[in-house]
């Protein structure tokens, strides 16, 4: 161990010097930059005096402590007074202690408080020194407390250019707050560059100002660029938070779970965002009714939730809350505002409807329907006139026969019990019903039972009633071939009280065929006519009226079931059979029997006739199945109609002969035989179809029209003047032509007689005949012989024609031209008009199916023209008709005979 040294020894002095140096270094490391705040000599309680940047000194600080209890430091570095302070000294200080409890690390910030008047005196005393200091022309951060109390003008800062060392500099500013609204709020001293504020500023109106500073020499020279100065207004908590509504109304269902959201309130604060001035806290101050506490509010979001599941609308249907919002994160000195909140409790179906009584008694007369016999009431605590309150009634037991129904009266919510099906006293004197009731809405309560029940006893009262037709429809079975006059049991009605049929009279109200009579006293029926099962489909209904001595009646139906007998032979429904001889050799025939199946197939088919009859030699029947057979011809029969008798016998020997009309036709399918224009009969003659007859009639009518026109024209001309026609008139008008090709547009000589084509133009009249000359309403025409002129050489102008307009050279005329001209003048327009009328339909439009213009069909046809319709005189070259098939056989035979 080293010996102890005296305090005054050199070694002790050295040690003390090292410890002092270490302490100084430690203090320098733990201490942060000193902050100076300029404050007035008098400070109010809870007054904001400035802000310290805590994060710059110690970012991880968890505890903030002030060495002076007169000042409070908030988390964002804001410094507030805790109470009113009146300072006599011009300068004071306190320390802010920052510490981290996890790392045990501590740091300090020294805060100096200086009076604003002292600062101004100091700056003015050092003005000459500041002028000589070399500074940069750059923006200096500057801020002004909102609603500052002064004194005014309030010094903000000094702006100075380093060019002031060489020049005399004048300073000036401009912008909002200077020469723009709000005007005259700031000014700068021209020589010193000191910037002042002249009055308090509201940050909510002007959060900041952007000024422009200028440095100029007396002669106007600007050695510096304009400097932008931003003056920020430091916020003061001078605005109360305000709810968006003065009163909130929410609703929540009763019996809601804990944590169910009721609603959300919201408030706003005009102070600077993201500061304690606008950090709001919500809370519920008061609830009415006060107990129990059922609601809670989230402090930062303002969401109201349920804190209990004991909400019961039937006890309390509305709650009223008084709520508060406070800034400064809810601290006691924060500004606060209150509002009201009304919470309505919504109803749920947590209460069952219950009958006011457990049992009921009612009575009703028998045979009464649609009558109300009882009303039942229920009690329900849920909200009236809602689905949770409205009742639905039902009959649980005792209504198996459907005599009753129960409905809800929408006005009173009562259950109305009615009789919908008549009751019978003789069958049941008393009925016991069990009824139940539920709500329209599903039950959400905690009770195990979901339906309340009650008992209803219905007493049936006796009534003197008439006869009863029970069952209403009664049946009897009768064979269809019973003799007339046969009696059978009929309809029976009875007295419901005595269960007897005595004293009841019967009469029929409906007997469609008049087959029976009904005995008035016993209801027995008697057969009047022969019964036919096939005529009434096996059942014959008679309407019966039964009445007692007092005239009371009931209606019933007597159904007579007609039992079948084998009284009908099988019949062949299709009595006309078509056999296309070219493709078929037989046809199938089918028989039916109107009797029941036990009297029906299998059928036996046979030809009716003696062994050597012609029918058996020509036809043969072959059975196909139980109901069909195949009819075929044996020899090469001619086309035509034949009558073939066929007997069909059922399984019990009942038979019937059907005369079949069999047609042997030259066709491919049977339908083709019906639309052919001609059918050859068995005797070799030709039967014309309807279309062939119609074509012949139309041709005859057209021929008569032409002849009638000629006769009328000749008669009219003869009446005027005897006319002599030239000998060669026929040669001039009749032209023989066998070609179907279109002709050339040429004009023939006068040996031919040219007329208008159907539908042609009227300009071709003078083409070959000459010209018509109309003089005084009379037209003449001259025949041109030997002339050769084309259609183009004759142009028609208007309605007047001259012969010269059609001449191409010398033209010789016939001596009888006047006679022929008059005949032509009379007949030509009339024939043309008739032809045009034939070419039109009823609407005077062109008919497409009457007269058609033939076109050239080409050359090289192997068949040539239709021989039987042409003027061919030779018989050779018709061998191709033998290979045209069955459809053209009749045409070929006709042409060969010609």
């Amino acid at each position: 161990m080293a010996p102890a040294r005296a305090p005054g020894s050199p070694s002790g002095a050295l040690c003390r010097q090292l410890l002092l140096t270490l302490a100084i270094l430690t203090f320098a490391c733990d201490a942060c930059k000193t902050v100076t705040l300029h404050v007035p000599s008098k400070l109010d309680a809870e007054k904001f005096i400035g802000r310290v940047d805590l994060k710059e000194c110690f970012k991880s600080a968890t505890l903030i402590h002030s060495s002076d209890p007169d000042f409070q430091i908030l988390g964002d570095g804001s410094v507030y007074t805790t109470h009113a302070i009146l300072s006599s000294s011009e300068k004071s200080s306190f320390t802010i202690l920052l510490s981290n409890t996890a790392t045990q690390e501590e740091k300090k910030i020294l805060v100096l408080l200086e009076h604003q008047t002292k600062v101004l005196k100091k700056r003015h005393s050092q003005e000459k020194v500041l002028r000589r200091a070399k500074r940069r022309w750059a923006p200096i951060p500057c801020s002004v407390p909102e609603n500052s109390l002064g004194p005014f003008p309030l010094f903000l800062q000094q702006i100075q250019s380093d060019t002031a060392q060489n020049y005399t500099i004048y300073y000036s500013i401009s912008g909002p707050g200077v020469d723009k609204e709000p005007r005259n709020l700031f000014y700068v001293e021209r020589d010193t560059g000191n910037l002042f504020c002249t009055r308090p500023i509201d940050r909510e109106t002007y959060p900041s100002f952007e000024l422009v500073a200028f440095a100029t020499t007396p002669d106007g020279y600007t050695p510096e660029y304009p400097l932008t100065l931003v003056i920020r207004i430091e916020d003061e908590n001078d605005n109360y938070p305000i709810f968006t509504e003065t009163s909130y109304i929410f609703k929540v269902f009763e019996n809601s779970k804990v944590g169910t959201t009721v609603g959300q309130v919201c408030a706003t604060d005009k102070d600077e965002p993201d500061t304690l001035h606008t950090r709001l806290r919500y809370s519920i101050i008061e609830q009415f009714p006060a107990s129990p506490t059922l609601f809670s509010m989230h402090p930062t979001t303002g969401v109201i939730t349920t804190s209990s599941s004991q909400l019961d609308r039937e006890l309390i249907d509305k709650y009223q809350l008084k709520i508060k919002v406070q800034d400064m994160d809810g601290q006691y000195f924060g500004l606060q505002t209150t509002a009201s909140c009304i919470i309505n409790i919504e109803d749920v179906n947590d209460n069952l409807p219950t009958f006011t009584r457990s049992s009921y008694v009612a009575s009703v007369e028998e045979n009464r329907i649609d009558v109300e016999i009882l009303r039942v009431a229920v009690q329900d605590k849920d909200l009236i006139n809602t689905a949770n309150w409205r009742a639905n009634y039902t009959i649980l037991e005792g209504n198996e026969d459907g005599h009753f129904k129960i409905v809800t009266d929408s006005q009173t919510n009562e259950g109305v019990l009615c009789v919908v099906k008549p009751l019978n006293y003789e069958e049941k004197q008393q009925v016991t019903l069990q009824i139940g009731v539920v709500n329209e809405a599903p039950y959400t309560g905690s009770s195990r039972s979901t339906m309340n029940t009650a008992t209803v006893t219905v007493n049936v009262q006796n009534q003197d009633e008439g006869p009863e037709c029970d069952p209403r429809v009664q049946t009897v079975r009768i064979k269809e071939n019973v003799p007339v006059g046969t009696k059978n049991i009929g309809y029976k009605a009875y007295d419901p009280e005595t269960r007897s049929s005595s004293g009841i009279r019967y009469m029929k109200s409906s007997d469609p065929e008049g087959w029976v009579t009904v005995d008035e006293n016993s209801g027995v029926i008697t057969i009047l006519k022969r019964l036919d099962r096939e005529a009434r489909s096996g059942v014959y209904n008679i309407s019966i009226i039964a009445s007692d001595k007092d005239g009371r009646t009931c209606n019933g139906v007597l159904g007579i079931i007609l039992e079948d007998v084998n009284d009908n032979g099988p019949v062949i429904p299709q009595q006309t059979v078509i056999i296309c001889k070219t493709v078929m050799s037989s046809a199938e025939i089918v028989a039916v029997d109107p009797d029941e199946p036990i009297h029906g197939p299998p059928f036996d088919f046979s030809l009716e006739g003696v062994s050597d009859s012609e029918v058996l030699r020509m036809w043969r029947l072959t059975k196909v199945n139980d109901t069909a057979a195949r009819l075929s011809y044996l020899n090469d029969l001619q086309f035509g109609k034949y009558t073939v008798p066929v007997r069909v016998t059922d399984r019990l020997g009942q038979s019937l002969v059907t005369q079949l009309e069999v047609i042997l036709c030259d066709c491919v399918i049977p339908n083709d035989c019906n639309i052919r224009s001609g059918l050859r009969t068995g005797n070799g003659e030709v039967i014309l179809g309807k279309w062939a007859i119609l074509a012949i009639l139309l041709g005859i009518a057209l021929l008569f029209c032409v002849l009638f026109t000629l006769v009328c024209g000749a008669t009219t001309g003869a009446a005027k003047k005897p006319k002599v026609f030239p000998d060669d008139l026929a040669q001039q008008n009749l032209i023989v032509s066998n070609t179907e090709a279109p002709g050339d547009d040429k004009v023939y000589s006068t040996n031919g007689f040219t007329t208008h084509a159907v539908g042609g133009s009227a300009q071709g009249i003078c083409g070959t005949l000459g010209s018509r000359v109309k003089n005084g309403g009379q037209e003449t025409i001259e025949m041109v012989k030997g002339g050769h002129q084309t259609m183009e050489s004759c142009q028609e102008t208007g309605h007047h024609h001259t012969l010269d307009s059609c001449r191409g050279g010398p033209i010789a005329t016939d001596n009888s031209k006047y006679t022929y001209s008059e005949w032509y003048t009379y007949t030509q327009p009339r024939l043309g008009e008739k032809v045009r009328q034939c070419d039109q339909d009823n609407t005077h439009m062109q008919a497409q199916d009457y007269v058609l213009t033939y076109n050239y069909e080409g050359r090289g046809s192997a068949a040539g023209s239709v021989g039987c319709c042409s003027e061919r005189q030779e018989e050779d070259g018709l061998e191709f008709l033998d290979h045209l098939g069955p459809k053209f056989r009749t045409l070929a035979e006709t042409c060969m005979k010609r």
Side-chain angles (χ1 to χ4, degrees):
M1 175 178 298
R5 299 180 182 272
S9 63
S11 300
L14 180 60
C15 184
R16 286 194 298 272
Q17 185 176 2
L18 292 175
L19 291 175
L20 180 60
T21 303
L22 180 61
I24 294 174
L25 293 175
T26 304
F27 178 79
C29 294
D30 293 341
C32 296
K33 183 173 65 174
T34 301
V35 178
T36 302
L37 299 178
H38 302 97
V39 297
S41 59
K42 182 180 180 181
L43 296 174
D44 296 331
E46 300 179 1
K47 176 69 175 180
F48 173 78
I49 61 175
R51 182 176 288 110
V52 179
D53 191 353
L54 302 179
K55 292 185 179 180
E56 182 180 1
C57 178
F58 192 11
K59 291 184 178 180
S60 60
T62 58
L63 292 178
I64 305 173
H65 180 69
S66 173
S67 62
D68 190 343
D70 292 339
F71 300 96
Q72 180 183 16
I73 314 302
L74 302 184
D76 62 346
S78 299
V79 181
Y80 286 84
T81 59
T82 57
H83 53 268
I85 299 175
L86 180 60
S87 177
S88 59
S89 61
E90 296 181 353
K91 185 176 182 181
S92 62
S93 66
F94 67 91
T95 303
I96 300 176
L97 179 63
L98 305 176
S99 62
N100 189 319
T101 56
T103 62
Q104 300 299 322
E105 185 179 0
E106 295 184 355
K107 289 189 178 183
K108 299 179 181 179
I109 301 176
L110 180 63
V111 179
L112 299 178
L113 302 178
E114 294 183 359
H115 289 180
Q116 293 177 346
T117 55
K118 179 65 178 179
V119 173
L120 290 175
K121 292 179 180 179
K122 182 178 179 181
R123 290 179 183 267
H124 283 288
S125 63
Q126 296 179 356
E127 181 178 355
K128 296 181 179 180
V129 177
L130 291 174
R131 287 180 180 176
R132 291 194 299 267
K134 186 175 182 180
R135 301 183 60 187
R136 298 182 57 191
W137 180 251
I140 302 172
C142 181
S143 63
V144 180
E146 179 185 13
N147 303 324
S148 176
L149 299 178
F152 296 102
L154 178 65
F155 174 78
L156 300 182
Q157 70 170 0
Q158 183 183 29
I159 57 175
Q160 191 172 15
S161 172
D162 54 2
T163 60
Q165 298 177 3
N166 302 322
Y167 304 97
T168 299
I169 299 299
Y170 293 159
Y171 299 96
S172 62
I173 58 174
S174 67
V178 181
D179 52 0
K180 296 181 181 179
E181 291 296 334
R183 297 177 182 272
N184 302 322
L185 183 60
F186 302 100
Y187 73 91
V188 65
E189 291 182 345
R190 187 188 69 171
D191 298 327
T192 62
N194 291 331
L195 182 63
F196 294 91
C197 176
T198 62
R199 59 182 182 270
I201 305 174
D202 184 11
R203 190 206 64 84
E204 287 70 40
T205 305
Y206 302 103
S208 65
F209 294 89
E210 186 173 310
L211 307 180
V212 179
F214 302 93
T216 60
T217 61
D219 57 357
Y221 173 68
T222 56
E224 298 283 3
Y225 289 105
L227 177 65
T228 301
L229 297 177
V230 177
I231 302 176
R232 187 175 65 86
I233 310 303
E234 294 184 356
D235 184 47
E236 180 185 20
N237 190 23
D238 58 341
N239 290 280
Y240 285 82
I242 300 175
F243 282 104
T244 55
E245 298 181 21
T246 58
S247 178
Y248 293 89
I249 299 177
F250 300 118
K251 59 184 179 180
V252 64
F253 286 103
E254 61 177 330
N255 302 328
S256 296
K257 296 180 180 180
V258 175
T260 302
T261 299
V262 177
Q264 183 178 15
V265 299
C266 184
T268 59
D269 196 324
K270 295 182 179 179
D271 289 325
E272 186 175 358
D274 300 326
T275 64
L276 284 176
H277 299 164
T278 56
R279 189 174 300 174
L280 307 180
R281 290 282 179 172
Y282 301 91
S283 60
I284 298 176
I285 301 176
E286 185 181 3
Q287 171 186 304
F288 180 80
S291 180
T293 301
L294 301 175
F295 305 97
S296 62
M297 176 178 284
H298 194 280
T300 58
T301 63
V303 175
I304 302 175
T305 58
T306 57
S307 59
S308 173
S309 60
Q310 303 303 316
L311 291 173
D312 190 351
R313 189 205 65 84
E314 286 72 36
L315 296 178
I316 301 175
D317 61 352
K318 181 173 66 174
Y319 291 87
Q320 187 169 356
L321 305 179
K322 185 177 181 181
I323 57 178
K324 179 187 74 172
V325 60
Q326 189 173 18
D327 59 14
M328 300 301 294
D329 203 17
Q331 298 191 55
Y332 69 93
F333 52 83
L335 303 179
Q336 64 180 18
T337 306
T338 61
S340 64
C341 178
I342 298 174
I343 301 177
N344 295 316
I345 309 302
E346 295 289 307
D347 184 48
V348 298
N349 189 20
D350 57 343
N351 294 280
L352 286 173
T354 58
F355 288 103
T356 57
R357 298 168 55 186
S358 59
S359 63
Y360 301 87
V361 178
S363 61
V364 63
E365 292 183 351
E366 64 174 335
N367 302 323
R368 295 285 302 275
I369 61 172
D370 298 330
V371 59
E372 176 185 324
I373 63 173
L374 181 66
R375 280 179 172 261
V376 295
V378 294
Q379 294 178 344
D380 197 324
K381 296 180 181 180
D382 291 321
L383 189 61
I384 297 176
N385 293 327
T386 63
N388 301 327
W389 175 81
R390 287 190 290 269
N392 280 341
Y393 299 88
T394 183
I395 300 176
L396 302 176
E397 296 179 3
N399 193 34
E400 288 76 10
D401 296 331
H403 292 283
F404 305 93
K405 77 172 181 180
I406 187 168
V407 296
T408 303
D409 188 332
S410 60
Q411 301 296 326
T412 63
N413 207 34
E414 294 178 324
V416 182
L417 184 64
C418 304
V419 177
V420 295
K421 184 178 179 181
L423 295 165
N424 193 337
Y425 175 82
E426 287 72 26
E427 293 181 355
K428 188 176 291 187
Q429 290 79 33
Q430 190 179 78
V431 181
T432 302
L433 304 175
Q434 185 181 26
I435 59 176
V437 61
V438 294
N439 291 121
E440 290 183 359
Y443 176 68
T444 60
S446 58
S447 176
R448 294 184 179 180
S449 176
T450 59
M451 179 180 291
N452 188 253
T453 60
T455 302
V456 178
T457 302
V458 181
N459 296 317
V460 183
Q461 298 177 354
N462 189 23
Q463 184 183 25
D464 187 13
E465 50 193 339
E468 185 172 324
C469 297
D470 187 26
R472 182 177 175 275
V473 178
Q474 303 176 17
T475 60
V476 295
R477 304 184 72 89
I478 304 176
K479 290 186 178 295
E480 62 174 328
N481 62 345
V482 296
V484 175
T486 302
K487 295 182 179 295
N488 204 317
I489 59 174
Y491 195 86
K492 290 295 181 182
Y494 61 91
D495 188 338
E497 298 179 0
T498 62
R499 310 302 295 177
S500 172
S501 299
S502 61
I504 298 179
R505 297 180 178 275
Y506 304 91
M507 62 177 294
K508 64 177 182 177
S509 61
S510 174
D511 183 6
E513 302 292 342
W515 283 351
V516 298
T517 60
V518 179
D519 185 83
E520 183 180 6
N521 297 318
S522 63
V524 174
I525 60 173
T526 303
I527 306 302
L528 287 181
K529 298 179 182 179
R530 180 181 176 275
L531 304 180
D532 187 2
R533 186 196 69 86
E534 289 73 28
R536 304 301 297 185
S537 300
V539 179
Y540 183 65
N541 292 326
I542 303 172
S543 298
I544 302 296
I545 300 177
S547 60
D548 60 7
K549 60 181 179 180
D550 295 328
R552 291 171 293 192
T553 63
C554 68
N555 297 319
V557 176
L558 179 63
I560 301 177
I561 300 176
L562 300 174
E563 297 182 349
D564 184 46
V565 297
N566 193 17
D567 57 346
N568 293 284
V571 64
I572 301 175
Q574 185 177 355
Q575 298 184 4
T576 300
V577 179
I578 299 175
I579 299 177
C580 293
K581 187 177 178 182
T582 57
V583 295
M584 300 168 55
S585 61
S586 62
E588 186 175 296
I589 57 177
V590 179
V592 295
D593 195 330
D595 292 327
E596 291 186 354
I598 59 173
H599 301 143
F603 299 142
D604 182 27
F605 295 85
S606 62
L607 295 173
E608 185 69 13
V610 297
S611 58
D612 58 348
S613 64
E614 184 180 359
V615 174
L616 298 179
R617 292 196 302 271
M618 298 172 60
W619 307 94
R620 180 178 63 188
L621 276 173
T622 305
K623 187 173 182 179
V624 176
N625 51 39
D626 290 345
T627 59
R630 186 172 300 281
L631 177 65
S632 57
Y633 56 89
L634 297 178
N635 302 319
D636 188 10
L637 301 181
Q638 295 183 354
F639 297 111
K641 296 182 180 179
Y642 300 89
T643 300
V644 181
V646 178
R647 178 179 294 276
V648 185
T649 307
D650 60 21
R651 66 167 63 187
L652 299 181
Q654 185 72 22
S655 64
L656 184 65
V657 177
T658 302
Q659 300 292 333
L660 295 182
E661 184 182 47
V662 183
I663 301 176
L664 289 182
C665 185
D666 185 9
C667 60
V668 177
I669 57 176
N671 291 337
D672 189 32
C673 186
N674 296 332
I675 62 173
R676 291 178 56 86
S677 60
L679 177 67
R680 186 181 298 277
T681 65
N683 300 327
E685 58 185 2
V686 176
I687 301 176
L688 295 178
K690 58 182 180 179
W691 295 109
I693 296 175
L694 180 61
I696 293 174
L697 293 177
L698 291 176
I700 294 174
L702 182 60
L703 180 60
F704 271 106
C705 289
V706 175
L707 294 178
F708 179 76
T709 302
L710 294 175
V711 171
C712 290
T715 305
T716 304
K720 292 182 179 181
K721 180 180 179 180
K723 305 297 180 180
V724 180
F725 294 95
D727 296 337
D728 58 349
L729 180 60
Q731 296 181 3
Q732 294 177 359
N733 290 278
L734 299 179
I735 303 174
V736 179
S737 176
N738 292 331
T739 180
E740 293 180 1
D744 298 331
D745 294 332
K746 297 180 179 180
V747 177
Y748 295 92
S749 64
T750 56
N751 293 331
F753 178 67
T754 304
T755 61
H756 291 290
V758 177
S761 174
Q763 294 180 357
I765 295 177
C766 64
T768 61
L769 297 177
S771 64
R772 292 182 294 170
V773 180
K774 184 175 182 181
N775 298 317
Q778 183 178 3
E779 293 183 356
T780 61
I781 188 168
E782 297 181 358
M783 297 301 299
V784 181
K785 294 185 179 181
H788 299 281
Q789 298 181 2
T790 63
M791 185 68 71
E792 290 79 1
S793 64
C794 177
Q795 301 294 333
E796 183 176 6
T797 305
H799 189 68
H800 181 72
H801 307 282
T802 61
L803 184 60
D804 296 336
S805 63
C806 298
R807 286 179 180 173
I811 299 176
T813 60
D814 193 89
N815 294 329
S816 59
K817 66 179 181 179
Y818 297 106
T819 302
Y820 178 76
S821 175
E822 292 181 1
W823 175 84
Y824 180 87
T825 301
Y826 180 82
T827 59
Q828 184 66 13
R830 287 165 175 77
L831 286 176
E833 181 65 18
K834 292 296 182 180
V835 174
R836 281 192 296 272
Q837 290 179 357
C838 292
D839 192 25
Q840 296 176 357
D841 54 17
N842 295 333
T843 60
H844 303 286
M845 299 299 293
Q846 184 74 18
Q848 299 297 328
D849 57 347
Y850 192 81
V851 180
L852 300 176
T853 304
Y854 286 97
N855 293 327
Y856 185 69
E857 296 180 352
R859 300 178 180 274
S861 175
S865 180
V866 182
C868 60
C869 300
S870 66
E871 294 296 331
R872 294 184 59 176
Q873 301 299 327
E874 64 276 11
E875 291 293 336
D876 55 346
L878 299 178
E879 294 79 12
F880 66 91
L881 295 176
D882 297 332
H883 308 288
L884 296 179
K887 290 186 177 182
F888 298 88
R889 186 174 300 171
T890 303
L891 180 61
E893 292 176 1
T894 302
C895 293
M896 292 299 293
K897 288 183 179 181
R898 183 180 178 280

